[in-house]
Amino acid sequence: MRAKVLVSRRVFPEVIARLREHFDVDTNDADDVWPQAELIRRLQGRAGLFITGSEKIDATLLAACPDLRAVCSMAVGYNNIDVAACTAHGVLVSNAPDVLTETTADFGFALMMAAARRVTESERFLRRGEWKKWSYDMFAGADVHGSVLGVLGMGRIGQGVARRGALGFGMRVIYHNRSRLDAATEAQFGARYVTKLDLLRECDHLVIVVPYGPASHHLIGTAELELMKPTATLTNIARGGVVDDAALADALREGRIAAAGLDVFEGEPTVHPSLLAVPNVVLTPHIASASLPTRRAMANLAVDNLLAALSVGPNKGRPPTALNPEVLTLR
Ligand code: DGY
């Protein structure tokens, strides 16, 4: 008998077709995020769940879905999934690392540059028909090349940002991370490890790429923003909640930092109204990994994991990017 799986959001038709070769598949063509009760209802009798970063997978859902054996996400971030509770329920969890690293680093760099050089702010001015003459300081911003790049969170994506800064733009890279990189990796980008306080004080452009969790909630708030240079920019491609959005909006409005680029927000898709009211921030709707090839690779990696977790295909029993592979040995 074919196992039953549920795909919680709209995804590439060829990805659904791949799943249909092996499974009985239910889909969410409306693409709305189902309330938890609806997700639980649809999961009854289903062994596999394909999700994105939006669905909350917690002990309540797991207790109500006893047939569930695998939850495979096409996102790299998994703060929406209680992995320990999944392990306790014998449910395999996977995320989608690596395939989005370079695309996300590209976007982080684009946001940082757009903030520093006031790209969207000046475009809005032009579209409003307000461009009447040249002025020496019209939308004059900060240089990116040759400046100090501060990376908070030096995982794969942070290193991608650092590489772009050091090798492409001659930036001096400083970083803070839970653990220091080995000397050879630091040497690739000439990166210098500093405390979080020194990072904030010294950088011209701060890029935040830390995972979200209780330890990183409001890692950047009023006190941290106070330490930054008034000419500095802040870019967040990590998760909403790492930055206190209200505090950031205040700092931007009062000129305590120059500009920001944000792809993620606390409570997204709702955006703090104070952020919407300040001009010196570039706002994008959580699209850092959204190139078509990368989104396709993310979705296919989730399928690879689902197939392997439910014992189908070449990786049978060995999901390539499982977060709790120990679950399979206990089965
Ligand atoms: C991720 O994969 O975690 C990105 O933020 C997209 O959701």
Side-chain angles (χ1 to χ4, degrees):
M1 218 180 64
R2 286 150 73 88
K4 294 182 176 179
V5 305
L6 177 65
V7 180
S8 70
R9 300 292 302 281
R10 197 165 60 79
V11 71
F12 298 95
E14 67 267 28
V15 167
I16 302 289
R18 235 188 115 198
L19 286 169
R20 288 211 159 111
E21 284 172 25
H22 305 280
F23 304 122
D24 169 337
V25 183
D26 186 17
T27 58
N28 178 1
D29 300 330
D31 204 27
D32 296 324
V33 182
W34 286 320
Q36 193 178 53
E38 178 67 3
L39 185 55
I40 289 173
R41 189 182 73 72
R42 289 181 180 259
L43 273 173
Q44 296 311 299
R46 301 213 165 251
L49 174 60
F50 175 118
I51 59 167
T52 68
S54 309
E55 293 74 21
K56 189 170 168 202
I57 307 299
D58 60 10
T60 306
L61 178 138
L62 294 162
C65 303
D67 299 311
L68 194 59
R69 289 163 56 209
V71 174
C72 299
S73 175
M74 67 174 277
V76 65
Y78 52 91
N79 52 300
N80 54 320
I81 307 173
D82 184 338
V83 179
C86 287
T87 306
H89 282 82
V91 174
L92 185 285
V93 183
S94 66
N95 67 336
D98 300 324
V99 288
L100 48 56
T101 299
E102 299 303 328
T103 298
T104 306
D106 280 351
F107 195 82
F109 219 84
L111 261 187
M112 177 188 73
M113 292 196 76
R117 297 301 308 276
R118 308 178 65 179
V119 172
T120 56
E121 192 184 353
S122 60
E123 192 203 2
R124 287 192 297 272
F125 164 87
L126 179 151
R127 285 179 186 275
R128 286 194 303 267
E130 291 177 21
W131 184 27
K132 306 292 182 204
K133 60 178 185 200
W134 181 91
S135 309
Y136 81 95
D137 59 350
M138 186 170 71
F139 293 105
D143 271 329
V144 170
H145 72 274
S147 64
V148 178
L149 171 62
V151 182
L152 183 57
M154 200 55 136
R156 288 167 286 229
I157 298 171
Q159 289 178 38
V161 172
R163 192 178 319 111
R164 282 158 177 74
L167 307 183
F169 289 78
M171 298 175 88
R172 281 168 289 143
V173 177
I174 56 177
Y175 75 99
H176 183 71
N177 198 43
R178 268 175 308 193
S179 51
R180 188 171 171 173
L181 299 179
D182 60 69
T185 310
E186 282 186 352
Q188 283 176 31
F189 346 104
R192 185 162 56 90
Y193 183 75
V194 293
T195 64
K196 183 180 147 196
L197 296 191
D198 284 344
L199 184 83
L200 295 166
R201 283 192 199 107
E202 290 180 32
C203 73
D204 295 310
H205 303 290
L206 176 69
V207 180
I208 303 167
V209 207
V210 290
Y212 181 71
S216 61
H217 181 71
H218 286 189
L219 197 59
I220 302 294
T222 304
E224 289 74 20
L225 292 161
E226 286 298 334
L227 297 173
M228 294 178 68
K229 299 176 188 174
T231 49
T233 72
L234 175 154
T235 295
N236 185 9
I237 52 169
R239 276 287 182 271
V242 173
V243 175
D244 177 341
D245 286 348
L248 176 61
D250 288 346
L252 289 166
R253 192 179 47 251
E254 291 163 15
R256 282 184 273 123
I257 67 168
L262 305 176
D263 187 49
V264 288
F265 305 89
E266 284 187 281
E268 63 184 51
T270 302
V271 176
H272 197 291
S274 307
L275 281 175
L276 295 171
V278 285
N280 47 343
V281 58
V282 182
L283 305 168
T284 54
H286 202 149
I287 55 166
S289 64
S291 74
L292 278 172
T294 290
R295 283 285 163 87
R296 200 169 268 120
M298 293 161 72
N300 275 307
L301 182 52
V303 172
D304 294 343
N305 278 293
L306 204 42
L307 291 173
L310 299 182
S311 297
V312 181
N315 293 321
K316 195 184 276 194
R318 284 175 287 111
T321 55
L323 291 165
N324 58 352
E326 66 275 18
V327 160
L328 294 179
T329 55
L330 298 174
R331 275 184 188 160

